[in-house]
Amino acid sequence: MARFTLPRDLYHGKGALEALKSFEGKRAMICVGGGSMKRFGFLDKAVDYLKEAGMEVQIFDGIEPDPSVETVMRGADAMLKFEPDWIIAMGGGSPIDAAKAMWIKYEYPEVTFEDMCKVFGLPKLRKKARFCAISSTSGTATEVTAFSIITDYSKGIKYPIADFEITPDVAIVDPDLAETMPKKLVAHTGMDAMTHAIEAYVSTANCDYTDPLALYAIKMIQNDLVDSYNGDLAKRDSMHNAQCLAGMAFSNALLGIVHSMAHKTGAAFADYGAHIIHGAANAMYLPKVIAFNAKDPTAAARYAKIADYMNLGGETTEEKISLLIAALRKMNDELNIPHCIKNYGADSYPTEQGFVPENVFLERLHDIAVNALGDACTGSNPRQPSVEEMEKLLKCCYYDTEVDF
């Protein structure tokens, strides 16, 4: 038996934020990030709509990119004091992911962060509050997913929390919010969405319910992402829908080792002054993982189907996969995303010498490989790598060398 779970309600289209007026409850806590929602007036709108619905509103702000365990605990403590019956998470993936983890701790104060990370092992939520997610970026799709990514900075590791219990009750997908994204964020979140859709389609947990969502999202992203990056607001609105469809697919079909590697390399070199931004990591690693997974015949056939759906041409399965890899690398070029860690600058742009020194990468390679294999996303990858193979794959992602194993 399989399961397909989405938010009960999804409000979409311009002005969808106004759906907050219809919420019923006494108290709502809004969780937001670094200020863009306030700067562009969306936070004030949300507060006004909730007050119009008769609710007392409190704001928990300042949630950082790549939210920490400590931020989660502070937010949960604020919720325990305020006792909201609605948690409204608003912004990019970071505030929504953080709020999901806060929600778990609010409902079960005795739960530890380690308990939260047990895959599909959470107790029943919604005893104290329901959850609404409002996305402002077009990539993570965390507004419709059963996932949250939290960083333990003491270990330099990003941990995925995975459980259908944290699928939001309500998602609001209003493209007005996404129109405020800076150009670099458009690129990174867009390639995150492409990775979601491709990994969902080849995942061992794919099914008839997830495949159409994944394929249609891939086609939309192919058509719309680069133009969105270059300032076409109609295409940016379309990308907000595309990433949500990709999220519906991967939340139920799960992901693969592109995400495992991105989770475990993202904060691994923070002591050298930067993170490898999640969407950029996915963009760099995806072509390499396709080449690795394509040694599995079932995965190869699925990648070829993706290439057909994208109208890339090719006669044989091998030709189609090569064209798919080339198309993704071309998108990276058009979005100013590097092809490998060696050329990944601290600002995320391509550079001759990136911020991760070769010797440091090689010193940490084994531990990163072991951690990536233990990531929640690895189990549904179509080809299960050994530690040695994961190390070789990560080296290909560092040097941009061919995957021939």
Side-chain angles (χ1 to χ4, degrees):
M1 182 177 68
R3 178 173 173 177
F4 186 88
T5 300
L6 295 174
R8 182 187 183 281
D9 294 301
L10 192 154
Y11 297 94
H12 59 96
K14 285 183 169 292
L17 189 64
E18 197 170 339
L20 292 172
K21 284 192 208 176
S22 65
F23 283 25
E24 295 180 359
K26 294 179 181 178
R27 286 179 295 278
M29 177 169 281
I30 302 179
C31 300
V32 292
S36 65
M37 290 297 93
K38 185 169 188 177
R39 207 161 50 246
F40 293 108
F42 295 115
L43 178 59
D44 288 342
K45 277 187 179 180
V47 170
D48 290 344
Y49 289 147
L50 289 165
K51 286 182 176 177
E52 193 174 330
M55 284 194 242
E56 183 183 350
V57 181
Q58 188 174 105
I59 296 167
F60 183 88
D61 59 7
I63 297 171
E64 72 274 35
D66 303 306
S68 65
V69 176
E70 291 74 20
T71 296
V72 168
M73 298 307 166
R74 282 194 301 106
D77 187 56
M79 289 176 186
L80 285 164
K81 291 172 182 170
F82 183 60
E83 298 184 339
D85 45 21
W86 273 103
I87 297 166
I88 313 292
M90 187 175 192
S94 294
I96 298 174
D97 280 2
K100 286 179 175 179
M102 293 170 191
W103 182 27
I104 300 166
K105 185 73 174 174
Y106 169 50
E107 299 242 352
Y108 293 94
E110 71 282 1
V111 165
T112 65
F113 180 65
E114 290 71 23
D115 292 333
M116 293 183 196
C117 294
K118 293 172 184 172
V119 179
F120 294 96
L122 292 178
K124 293 284 184 186
L125 299 181
R126 297 163 181 81
K127 296 181 185 299
K128 294 181 180 179
R130 285 179 288 171
F131 193 98
C132 170
I134 306 166
S135 55
S136 67
T137 60
S138 301
T140 68
T142 190
E143 72 275 7
V144 293
T145 74
F147 296 91
S148 164
I149 307 298
I150 305 298
T151 302
D152 184 334
Y153 284 90
S154 67
K155 297 177 180 176
I157 295 175
K158 295 183 180 183
Y159 289 95
I161 301 171
D163 199 291
F164 287 120
E165 283 299 311
I166 58 171
T167 305
D169 297 284
V170 178
I172 295 178
V173 184
D174 186 334
D176 285 341
L177 279 68
E179 289 182 4
T180 65
M181 283 192 296
K183 196 169 183 178
K184 182 163 72 171
L185 192 58
V186 172
H188 294 160
T189 56
M191 288 308 291
D192 191 18
M194 180 64 100
T195 307
H196 290 156
I198 291 176
E199 288 210 293
Y201 190 71
V202 301
S203 160
T204 57
N206 73 76
C207 68
D208 289 344
Y209 296 89
T210 58
D211 283 353
L213 293 165
L215 283 175
Y216 196 71
I218 289 166
K219 189 67 174 176
M220 289 180 74
I221 296 164
Q222 178 193 17
N223 290 340
D224 298 337
L225 175 54
V226 173
D227 288 341
S228 170
Y229 176 75
N230 289 323
D232 185 326
L233 291 184
K235 293 294 184 76
R236 192 164 299 184
D237 292 354
S238 180
M239 272 299 301
H240 210 42
N241 290 333
Q243 64 87 32
C244 189
L245 296 175
M248 293 177 186
F250 92 76
S251 186
N252 292 279
L254 308 178
L255 292 164
I257 58 172
V258 178
H259 272 78
S260 303
M261 293 157 65
H263 293 155
K264 296 332 186 212
T265 54
F269 309 101
D271 52 330
Y272 281 80
H275 279 211
I276 301 175
I277 295 169
H278 179 72
N282 283 337
M284 292 190 296
Y285 306 162
L286 179 58
K288 305 302 183 191
V289 170
I290 290 173
F292 175 79
N293 284 342
K295 304 293 190 293
D296 174 85
T298 301
R302 289 205 146 236
Y303 288 129
K305 181 75 176 288
I306 290 171
D308 287 341
Y309 200 75
M310 294 172 70
N311 297 314
L312 298 178
E315 295 297 323
T316 66
T317 295
E318 291 74 17
E319 286 175 356
K320 291 174 183 181
I321 293 169
S322 294
L323 289 166
L324 174 60
I325 289 170
L328 293 169
R329 288 176 65 90
K330 182 172 182 285
M331 287 183 76
N332 286 350
D333 287 334
E334 291 172 324
L335 297 168
N336 208 16
I337 295 173
H339 289 299
C340 62
I341 299 170
K342 182 174 180 286
N343 300 131
Y344 184 94
D347 58 1
S348 84
Y349 291 123
T351 183
E352 188 172 338
Q353 180 55 58
F355 84 94
V356 181
E358 180 180 19
N359 65 310
V360 174
F361 172 80
L362 293 173
E363 285 168 8
R364 300 180 186 183
L365 175 61
H366 178 74
D367 288 346
I368 292 170
V370 170
N371 289 332
L373 285 175
D375 188 90
C377 296
T378 299
S380 48
N381 193 69
R383 185 181 171 199
Q384 290 297 305
S386 64
V387 174
E388 182 185 13
E389 286 171 331
M390 180 59 82
E391 288 182 4
K392 288 169 72 175
L393 190 54
L394 284 161
K395 281 185 178 180
C396 291
C397 292
Y398 185 86
Y399 297 108
D400 191 21
T401 49
E402 186 180 349
V403 177
D404 57 1
F405 54 93

